[in-house]
Amino acid sequence: MTPRVLTSVLAGEPIDGDEERPDVNPSDLSDVVAVSSIAGPAVARAAVTAAADALPSWSRSTPWQRAEVLDRAGTEIFARADELGDLLAREEGKTYPEARAEVVRAGQILKYFSGVALQPHGQALDSVRPGIEVTVTREPVGVVSVITPWNFPIAIPAWKIAPALAFGNTVVFKPADLVPASAWELVDILIRAGLPAGALNLVLGRGSQVGPVLTGDPAVDAVTFTGSVATGQGILTAGAGSGTKVQLELGGKNPLVVTGKADLRVAVECAMQGGFGSTGQRCTASSILVVTDDVHDAFVAAMTERMTHWRVGDARAEGTDMGPVVDAGQYAQDRRYLDVARAEGADIIGGDEVDAGASGHYLSPALALGTSMADTINREEVFGPVMSVVRVADYDGALEAANAGTMNLSAGIVTTSLAEAAHFRRNSRAGMVMVNLPTAGVDFHVPFGGRGESSHGPREQGTAAVDFFTTSKTSYTAPGSP
Ligand code: NAD
């Protein structure tokens, strides 16, 4: 069957790009999921104009109109979860259960922000001066550029687009090149749910070409970006010159501490799910296992045993524990970091090419043993099914190692000691802390984000979303004013 061609969508209308790019299934490289028509800067500029034109009307729409659109879109996503989950697994390579759960998450996010649209967000209060009334209102920021990575093709776009629309902003959305089909479906669903033309526009284009327009055009009021530290820092620099509001969610280098007081079974499951779930391609993935000396050998033995039963294969095949790496570039990066770790003295378990019966980027889960926090593998983000083990003397050494990095997104501890758990929660420098849970796996109704190089600007999701997607206005009215 000829793959369908996906185009950018401006003011509700499809618009062709200049070249075509195949959207390839990483489980089977002969399977072309779709073809993207890749647009250039002119289409990006037109998309910003479409969003700016739609802003006066959408920003004055009623909360009920906005709530209804998001609610209807969420309902459609739930109804099509099997089909959209299959598409996501096929184009990104996470397993079907993981992909379907991500689709359901996107539906939940839309429903949640449907409710948020109807909530009060302002304040009316007395002035400190007699008779004067003060109101603090929340207004839309304006035109928002939404730029997303490939590893959560529908959930990350949903958690940026839904609050943007709920608070009356208009959007230009640029998904990652590797996952255009899930992005296109989300936009199509939202538009058919009743968005007016131009409130949400889709640009399928390369970041290096359309990115400068979406982050630098004077008509763009805010940029919300999730992706790598390097790209994010470039956007921040560009935004600083123009005064554009910028929110960045970037890399993560997430430690999971295992102490001698841990339940070993819980520790192994937290590490396996946190490190190898979604093929380790999560910003919140556990990448450093910080293990105290007293439990180190038993933990490594239990992990090694568990890893031999971790089935790597086609993302959509029944019984697959871990799908392929997303593409050849990421695969090469994962292998390169394992080579560097080996050269720096680590012993590597796993990390081998897997023959899963079809052409695909299959890599077995890998553990680098005998590493220190100074090693390259513990300082840089690998973004694959690769974890390293750092052996420390005791809990104090574990906390010190866990806090030693610069991309402090999520950190976890596995312990049955209330004292260790409480101390770690208070003293971890990460933006999110997990106790006896994997470092990955978060809720949508609470703030999400990291510290250090990992995040910039207001937190995303939940109650925090209002901070980025609105701007606050304080008004004073004199006594006796009409
Ligand atoms: P990336 O930085 O390569 O790309 C992210 C997006 O930016 C893509 O849509 C890309 O096309 C676009 N882009 C590229 N150059 C651009 C430019 N000059 N201007 C504007 N946009 C540009 O990241 P990726 O490889 O797609 O994703 C993996 C990264 O994302 C990892 O570092 C991961 O940790 C991070 N991530 C972070 C979070 C979080 O919430 N902290 C969540 C998921 C992924």
Side-chain angles (χ1 to χ4, degrees):
M1 207 167 75
T2 316
R4 65 180 172 151
V5 177
L6 304 171
T7 68
S8 299
V9 180
L10 269 56
E13 297 299 324
I15 176 149
D16 286 333
D18 312 316
E19 54 171 314
E20 294 199 334
R21 183 186 192 286
D23 176 13
V24 176
N25 177 352
S27 298
D28 175 358
L29 306 186
S30 67
D31 176 29
V32 177
V33 181
V35 171
S36 299
S37 182
I38 298 289
V43 168
R45 272 191 291 276
V48 171
T49 302
D53 290 348
L55 187 63
S57 128
W58 183 246
S59 62
R60 288 192 199 100
S61 59
T62 66
W64 180 244
Q65 279 173 294
R66 304 198 289 264
E68 277 211 312
V69 169
L70 294 171
D71 185 57
R72 268 197 295 269
T75 299
E76 177 168 342
I77 286 180
F78 286 153
R80 293 176 56 198
D82 292 353
E83 168 214 339
L84 294 172
D86 186 75
L87 177 69
L88 200 159
R90 191 174 158 214
E91 86 171 341
E92 196 270 351
K94 62 183 67 173
T95 65
Y96 174 72
E98 290 170 334
R100 190 183 186 285
E102 185 186 331
V103 168
V104 169
R105 172 56 61 99
Q108 290 169 329
I109 290 166
L110 295 185
K111 294 269 181 186
Y112 172 81
F113 281 106
S114 164
V116 168
L118 293 167
Q119 285 167 10
H121 298 288
Q123 279 181 305
L125 56 162
D126 289 335
S127 168
V128 294
R129 291 168 285 164
I132 293 176
E133 287 176 7
V134 182
T135 57
V136 183
T137 46
R138 292 284 190 168
E139 300 185 356
V141 182
V143 173
V144 179
S145 287
V146 168
I147 304 176
T148 56
W150 48 263
N151 65 326
F152 283 95
I154 196 162
I156 291 181
W159 85 48
K160 292 176 184 295
I161 293 170
L165 294 173
F167 290 117
N169 303 283
T170 56
V171 173
V172 180
F173 167 35
K174 194 211 100 55
D177 303 358
L178 291 174
V179 289
S182 299
W184 190 93
E185 292 292 350
L186 177 65
V187 169
D188 181 58
I189 288 168
L190 276 160
I191 289 176
R192 284 189 292 96
L195 281 177
L200 172 60
N201 307 278
L202 174 72
V203 175
L204 299 180
R206 294 186 202 289
S208 56
Q209 291 172 12
V210 300
V213 176
L214 302 184
T215 57
D217 190 297
V220 172
D221 299 291
V223 179
T224 175
F225 170 87
T226 297
S228 61
V229 173
T231 313
Q233 283 173 345
I235 289 173
L236 188 59
T237 312
S242 62
T244 309
K245 198 171 181 181
V246 176
Q247 176 184 58
L248 306 174
E249 285 300 337
L250 308 175
K253 196 70 200 167
N254 311 296
L256 178 72
V257 169
V258 178
T259 78
K261 300 197 173 88
D263 176 328
L264 213 55
R265 194 187 45 84
V266 174
V268 169
E269 278 321 296
C270 285
M272 292 298 294
Q273 299 301 335
F276 302 137
S278 297
T279 320
Q281 298 171 152
R282 290 187 285 194
C283 52
T284 48
S286 310
S287 49
I288 310 173
L289 301 171
V290 182
V291 186
T292 58
D293 191 48
D294 49 358
V295 71
H296 176 275
D297 293 353
F299 175 73
V300 168
M303 278 295 291
T304 309
E305 158 68 11
R306 182 78 173 83
M307 282 164 64
T308 56
H309 303 293
W310 195 249
R311 271 166 300 181
V312 178
D314 189 306
R316 295 184 297 157
E318 188 106 16
T320 296
D321 290 313
M322 190 170 91
V325 171
V326 73
D327 71 354
Q330 185 63 52
Y331 186 88
Q333 175 168 310
D334 298 348
R335 298 293 294 258
R336 197 166 54 244
Y337 274 111
L338 288 170
D339 289 344
V340 170
R342 205 176 276 114
E344 291 182 3
D347 289 325
I348 309 292
I349 296 171
D352 303 310
E353 194 174 331
V354 175
D355 180 1
S359 66
H361 307 293
Y362 296 110
L363 187 67
S364 66
L367 203 57
L369 301 176
T371 70
S372 81
M373 288 305 292
D375 292 350
T376 307
I377 197 164
N378 291 328
R379 287 186 289 105
E380 298 179 13
E381 191 182 37
V382 181
F383 219 59
V386 175
M387 284 190 279
S388 54
V389 176
V390 174
R391 188 177 193 144
V392 290
D394 51 19
Y395 169 79
D396 289 340
L399 179 65
E400 189 184 333
N403 280 338
T406 55
M407 288 179 257
N408 314 97
L409 183 56
S410 180
I413 185 167
V414 186
T415 181
T416 57
S417 157
L418 185 59
E420 283 179 353
H423 190 270
F424 190 78
R425 263 205 337 256
R426 280 194 211 106
N427 292 285
S428 165
R429 291 206 195 107
M432 298 179 290
V433 179
M434 312 290 172
V435 176
N436 293 320
L437 288 168
T439 55
V442 297
D443 287 358
F444 52 85
H445 66 312
V446 286
F448 174 97
R451 296 190 192 170
E453 285 178 0
S454 190
S455 295
H456 171 87
R459 290 278 187 261
E460 296 198 281
Q461 303 205 62
T463 47
V466 67
D467 294 330
F468 183 74
F469 291 103
T470 68
T471 184
S472 162
K473 179 186 280 173
T474 309
S475 309
Y476 298 84
T477 306
S481 301

